[in-house]
Amino acid sequence: QQLCEGIQRSAESGNLRGMYNGIKKALGPTVKKTAPLKSLSGEKITDRQEQMARWVEHYSQLYSQETSVSDTVLNSMEDLPTMEELDEMPSIEELSKAIDSLPCEKAPGSDNIPPE
């Protein structure tokens, strides 16, 4: 009962982090599930290490095949116009607008540097 009230209060006050944490607490720990894969021969693979090896095998096989595109196909494709404006440096206003649009308390990328 108390947990539900806390989630409701967080939702009403716009505290999404508190609401999410409350829902996570109510639902309990998540269970990592892995779907079985099939080997080349069609047998089910349930062991995680064997599944990873199968994925390596799959992508190695997929990307080892040489692909080619005929000149006819390439020549029949319409050329898109070059967008020269993408080569220009962004203005201070554009940069400021992009930074302001980043969500608070979230890292924008792998550098883990928050926008604040």
Side-chain angles (χ1 to χ4, degrees):
Q1 181 71 20
Q2 219 175 12
L3 183 58
C4 290
E5 290 170 359
I7 294 170
Q8 185 66 36
R9 272 193 308 276
S10 294
E12 289 170 354
S13 67
N15 180 0
L16 297 180
R17 186 176 298 267
M19 184 180 77
Y20 176 76
N21 287 337
I23 291 170
K24 234 169 72 169
K25 189 174 181 181
L27 294 176
T30 57
V31 179
K32 290 188 177 184
K33 299 177 185 177
T34 56
L37 294 177
K38 288 190 177 180
S39 67
L40 283 175
S41 63
E43 299 170 27
K44 283 188 180 181
I45 304 171
T46 55
D47 179 63
R48 183 127 173 96
Q49 290 295 89
E50 289 178 21
Q51 286 181 343
M52 295 306 289
R54 175 64 184 113
W55 282 118
V56 169
E57 178 185 26
H58 169 74
Y59 283 108
S60 296
Q61 187 180 36
L62 180 68
Y63 291 118
S64 68
Q65 298 173 0
E66 188 161 329
T67 58
S68 63
V69 179
S70 72
D71 288 335
T72 308
V73 172
L74 289 175
N75 293 333
S76 69
M77 291 178 64
E78 176 185 334
D79 286 340
L80 296 174
T82 304
M83 298 178 71
E84 301 291 339
E85 61 271 16
L86 294 178
D87 290 335
E88 299 171 9
M89 292 293 289
S91 68
I92 296 295
E93 293 81 24
E94 290 172 321
L95 188 58
S96 179
K97 185 178 176 182
I99 291 172
D100 290 342
S101 71
L102 293 171
C104 292
E105 299 182 24
K106 300 268 187 196
S110 61
D111 57 10
N112 219 15
I113 300 173
E116 297 85 12

